Amino acid sequence: FMKMYKFIQKTGVLITSLGPLVILPRTPLEKRMKKEGRFIDQELYHPAFKDKKFDINKVDTVNFIPKHMTGEELVQGTNWILKKIYSHKGFTERYWYYIKNLDKHYKNAKSYKNENGAKLSFNMIMKYFKEIFFKTPTHFYYNTKLFIKILLFRPSLINSFISYLAAHDHMYIHYKKVIGDPNKVGKC
């Protein structure tokens, strides 16, 4: 799990979706897993499948038996990665890596604007500060630290930063409800 976390951090992918494999019905994979005795009937294992209300974003079950670990270990490891990447520290580190390596990936990185070319107004920046920066001391610490670095070193990316920060905040809130506070992650 640490290897996967490091890969996500090093790639600079800012917002990602992550979860254990869900074996879908009537697929070759389901057939193979049944043949290997590793498929767990969804209706028996997770009653929510019967009502088609299974939340794929809520990583709490698997419908197969992994080869080199238990299903519980897979769920716990996946939740650990999610907490690490959506903690404020994890996002800040990943975003700064993204900024530092942007020129390697894009020829015109120094002239970036947000997608529609709009400029941020003072009122818009203040709204983001209020909504995103001042929620908790942890929000304030990491978001302000990154905001200042971007203003100093890559001011042309400030629009992009605020957009990604809003997306990160959305994911942080979602995973806080689903798996617990990402800022309170233990060791893998």
Side-chain angles (χ1 to χ4, degrees), residues 44-65:
L44 296 175
Y45 190 63
H46 199 300
F49 274 96
K50 287 182 181 178
D51 299 328
K52 309 282 189 277
K53 294 179 185 173
F54 179 70
D55 183 357
I56 200 135
N57 292 315
K58 188 170 184 181
V59 182
D60 62 353
T61 60
V62 293
N63 66 344
F64 69 98
I65 300 166

Side-chain angles (χ1 to χ4, degrees), residues 17 26 36 55 66 71 83 105 107 140 144 165 178:
S17 182
R26 297 175 299 284
E36 293 175 11
D55 183 357
K83 283 184 172 188
H105 303 293
K107 294 176 186 172
F140 180 78
T144 304
L165 192 58
V178 173

Side-chain angles (χ1 to χ4, degrees), residues 95-96 99-100 110 129 143-159 161:
Y95 195 86
W96 189 243
I99 298 264
K100 287 192 312 187
K110 293 184 192 309
F129 264 97
N143 294 346
T144 304
K145 182 178 170 182
L146 191 52
F147 185 75
I148 290 168
K149 278 183 169 180
I150 291 167
L151 280 177
L152 291 173
F153 300 107
R154 298 303 288 267
S156 64
L157 295 175
I158 200 66
N159 291 337
F161 166 67

Side-chain angles (χ1 to χ4, degrees), residues 157-174:
L157 295 175
I158 200 66
N159 291 337
S160 168
F161 166 67
I162 290 177
S163 297
Y164 278 117
L165 192 58
H168 169 261
D169 194 55
H170 170 77
M171 298 300 283
Y172 173 85
I173 290 166
H174 170 74

